[in-house]
Amino acid sequence: MRILVFANTPAHVHLYRHAADRLEDAGHDVLVLTREYACTTDLLEFFGMPFRRYGRHETTAPTKPQLARELGEQAARIVGESLRFRPDVVFGRGPYAALAGTVTRTPTVLVLDDEPGDFNHTVSRPFADCIISPAVTRRDLGDDHYTFDGFKECAYLHPDVFEPDGAVREYLGIGPDEPYALVRFNGLDALHDAGLEGFTREQRRDLLERLSERATVFVSDEGGEMTLRDLPAREYDLHPALIHDAMAEASLLVADTGTMVNEAALLGTPALRYRGTDDHEYGEFRELERVGLAEQFDEYEAIRDRSLELVADETASDRWATRRREYVGDLVNLTDLLVDVAQAGGSLERVTPSTRRALQSTSPVGGTNARSSSSD
């Protein structure tokens, strides 16, 4: 089979990388269509995934004529690459995946999460043969929408999949028992981030100065605009493919961006998210808060004080590790599910009984989140 995958962000690369490896090992052809954005292509190269670029994501807002031209050029490249590859099934999450599936007359599978913007869903949903999303997002996207018990990050952080690199402390220059914190600042340049604000410049400085009094602090600045020359913190400068290994060993993660908070929580690392001006209610964060793996804050002083409390608490890591063992191991291994759906050509009628049991239909026929019928 020929499987076409769209990976437009670093998180998308991680979502599909294990599935792509397994599909190739099984003799299938996999092609990733991507754009230049952050470290997306760096990750594709690191993991040896076959890919072609169809464009780039600019962090500065283009004029309307520029945007129209860029979208047209990207769509034309996607059409050309898709027709050349002749896929049997397409995986993605937005209008570009829908376009590829439409022009090649190929089943299209959308793997979604709880992104607040509805534009991608609205545009692509009519062209999807199957939509898969975590049950905690509480969406109902129609008769072809199925949910699973877990998170999209379970494709690469489920205990059956993730194996931490024990040498990451050596790479970071950190002692075996030395506490360290990871702080992630959002670039806020994605479509769904428009108009949002996270940590202010003054809050960033205050947080780093105070945290550094109790632990070594590494900073990952998504926007790339912050200088650390006069601050007691170090830039996180390992290859981006090692970020989950670094998270797994950290005493704490603090961020005003979403995906890394989910990731740290699923790894059993205390994870704190600052909402800033983002008032959207995400099902993923609500669930992780419920099980005690993540915490969210509306006020800067509250997240700062909780950060200082946790990084000084020598028992916090053990508590979070216990919660992870009790919760994450029972979630769906999303890589297994993606591989099975791909090998079934996107048809849920052809998946294995175990995948059929893992998927829940949101159609009114069975009731929201009722288990889909099974012939086994």
Side-chain angles (χ1 to χ4, degrees), residues 118-271:
D118 290 328
F119 173 76
N120 283 339
H121 304 332
T122 301
V123 172
S124 57
R125 185 171 66 181
F127 304 95
D129 296 87
C130 174
I131 301 173
I132 298 172
S133 70
V136 295
T137 62
R138 302 182 307 161
R139 288 183 178 274
D140 184 351
L141 300 176
D143 293 346
D144 298 316
H145 179 203
Y146 295 83
T147 66
F148 64 94
D149 290 331
F151 302 76
K152 73 180 193 306
E153 292 85 2
C154 288
Y156 53 98
L157 296 180
H158 191 280
D160 292 343
V161 176
F162 179 72
E163 296 182 6
D165 186 340
V168 72
R169 282 183 171 270
E170 180 181 345
Y171 304 152
L172 289 169
I174 292 290
D177 299 317
E178 184 178 351
Y180 70 89
L182 287 172
V183 179
R184 171 74 160 182
F185 294 130
N186 202 336
L188 296 172
D189 56 3
L191 179 64
H192 57 261
D193 292 327
L196 297 182
E197 296 179 3
F199 290 109
T200 66
R201 181 172 301 184
E202 292 75 17
Q203 289 169 348
R204 293 182 179 197
R205 293 183 62 89
D206 182 59
L207 178 64
L208 297 180
E209 288 174 349
R210 290 173 180 259
L211 270 179
S212 66
E213 296 174 358
R214 307 189 183 189
T216 300
V217 179
F218 291 94
V219 178
S220 174
D221 179 21
E222 190 176 33
E225 299 176 351
M226 187 172 186
T227 177
L228 301 176
R229 284 195 300 269
D230 59 341
L231 288 170
R234 295 161 58 179
E235 180 183 0
Y236 175 82
D237 58 0
L238 298 185
H239 192 284
L242 299 174
I243 186 62
H244 302 119
D245 304 290
M247 269 195 262
E249 279 288 311
S251 302
L252 174 71
L253 176 118
V254 184
D256 54 3
T257 181
T259 297
M260 285 186 66
V261 172
N262 283 357
E263 291 172 335
L266 292 173
L267 288 168
T269 296

Side-chain angles (χ1 to χ4, degrees), residues 92-130:
R93 62 170 290 126
Y96 285 159
L99 173 63
T102 299
V103 299
T104 59
R105 299 182 180 181
T106 302
T108 301
V109 179
L110 304 183
V111 183
L112 307 178
D113 57 4
D114 208 5
E115 178 186 301
D118 290 328
F119 173 76
N120 283 339
H121 304 332
T122 301
V123 172
S124 57
R125 185 171 66 181
F127 304 95
D129 296 87
C130 174

